[in-house]
Amino acid sequence: MNTKKIGPKTKVAISNSTTVYQNRILSPDSVASVIKEGKNNKKLGTTRIKKGPWKGLYIYSLTLVERETCPKSCIHWSDCYGNNLHLANRHTTNNLIPKLESDLERIMGERKNKEGIALRLHILGDFYSAEYVKFWESMLLNYPKLRIFGFTARMPETTIGKQVRLINLRYSERCIVRFSANKVSESLNSYAAEESFEGDNFVCPSTKENNITCASCAACWNSKKTVKFITH
Ligand code: SF4
């Protein structure tokens, strides 16, 4: 856990299980698209993916409201990455699914995406219900060229975690959601660990070098090993 001091506004957000930046919470109905192009996030990258089986695809992302959609068991409940993201637009879950359906229909139909897209779930927030995970399973079924990657604080033994594990298993070539825990990856579960983790891992290169993006790295969906994030 990051030991950085937590200010009074953040303390209120933590106790209310929401973001510090209430003015950055948007209704899905009020925005042109809840699914954003990777160029809106410098860590994802503006270019097409440069290597691996997803080479040539563009990265997109979805941002939900941190804490409101997350498990309280998350080890970053207090020092969430979102505490410092004052400019990120977060989307509520009201009418989220119909909006995601229409966004995906449009994006998957774009000529530049004829080979599909890689969607990062979630920049902030998490899988908030088993129904929501089932929605993503139905999208993987509907769109054979849709790829999903990301991280979840839901553990594989929880109800939602089991659902995530299942879609990882059913769509193993197209859905790679890692569980955020200090564990060595096994055949069914891949993990994303903290800096303190000493088991078999590879270090996320973008946490060490600014010019590396997910599009240029692609390791999270090409390696079975635990990825470790360096935060200091
Ligand atoms: S290891 Fe690579 S793909 Fe994974 S988060 Fe870091 S830069 Fe992105």
Side-chain angles (χ1 to χ4, degrees):
M1 179 172 154
N2 193 331
T3 51
K4 204 172 151 190
K5 204 161 175 273
I6 292 171
K9 283 188 181 167
T10 307
K11 281 187 183 158
V12 171
I14 293 165
S15 77
N16 291 336
S17 302
T18 187
T19 176
V20 182
Y21 308 105
Q22 295 292 303
N23 60 337
R24 288 286 170 183
I25 299 179
L26 302 175
S27 160
D29 293 332
S30 70
V31 296
S33 183
V34 289
I35 298 178
K36 304 290 184 197
E37 294 187 8
K39 66 184 179 191
N40 291 295
N41 183 309
K42 65 179 187 201
K43 290 276 182 197
L44 296 179
T46 54
T47 61
R48 291 181 186 270
I49 293 170
K50 292 194 182 301
K51 54 177 103 156
W54 297 1
K55 184 177 173 182
L57 306 186
Y58 280 112
I59 297 179
Y60 287 76
S61 70
L62 173 66
T63 303
L64 302 180
V65 184
E66 68 271 32
R67 296 193 190 89
E68 289 187 12
T69 55
C70 304
K72 282 195 169 164
S73 57
C74 175
I75 56 167
H76 291 295
W77 184 257
S78 299
D79 65 341
C80 174
Y81 168 64
N83 291 352
N84 301 315
L85 286 190
H86 60 288
L87 292 179
N89 287 332
R90 287 100 165 142
H91 302 97
T92 67
T93 57
N94 297 334
N95 282 336
L96 176 65
I97 286 183
K99 182 68 175 172
L100 283 169
E101 280 176 331
S102 62
D103 283 3
L104 273 176
E105 188 177 356
R106 185 190 71 254
I107 292 166
M108 296 301 289
E110 286 179 19
R111 191 180 161 79
K112 68 177 182 179
N113 296 325
K114 66 180 191 307
E115 295 307 321
I117 64 165
L119 178 58
R120 164 73 194 273
L121 302 178
H122 307 87
I123 301 297
L124 296 171
D126 211 323
F127 293 94
Y128 54 89
S129 69
E131 289 68 33
Y132 178 66
V133 185
K134 279 186 194 148
F135 163 75
W136 283 114
E137 177 164 24
S138 69
M139 292 299 101
L140 286 162
L141 189 65
N142 285 359
Y143 295 105
K145 293 184 176 176
L146 171 65
R147 279 82 162 177
I148 288 172
F149 74 102
F151 311 94
T152 180
R154 308 278 175 190
M155 288 300 105
E157 62 279 4
T158 64
T159 304
I160 296 174
K162 280 179 188 159
Q163 293 290 117
V164 171
R165 195 168 178 252
L166 205 59
I167 58 168
N168 275 339
L169 188 65
R170 284 191 179 144
Y171 297 91
S172 60
E173 304 296 315
R174 296 194 288 121
C175 181
I176 299 169
V177 178
R178 291 171 173 266
F179 297 99
S180 299
N182 286 348
K183 291 189 177 178
V184 173
S185 296
E186 314 134 23
S187 59
L188 292 182
N189 304 334
S190 291
Y191 291 96
E194 303 286 304
E195 192 167 346
S196 60
F197 180 64
E198 290 183 347
D200 196 21
N201 73 80
F202 69 94
V203 173
C204 166
S206 88
T207 59
K208 294 189 296 183
E209 291 178 49
N210 280 335
N211 61 344
I212 295 187
T213 64
C214 292
S216 65
C217 167
C220 274
W221 56 92
N222 286 316
S223 170
K224 296 282 179 220
K225 277 189 187 178
T226 295
V227 58
K228 179 160 94 172
F229 293 101
I230 307 293
T231 47
H232 299 103

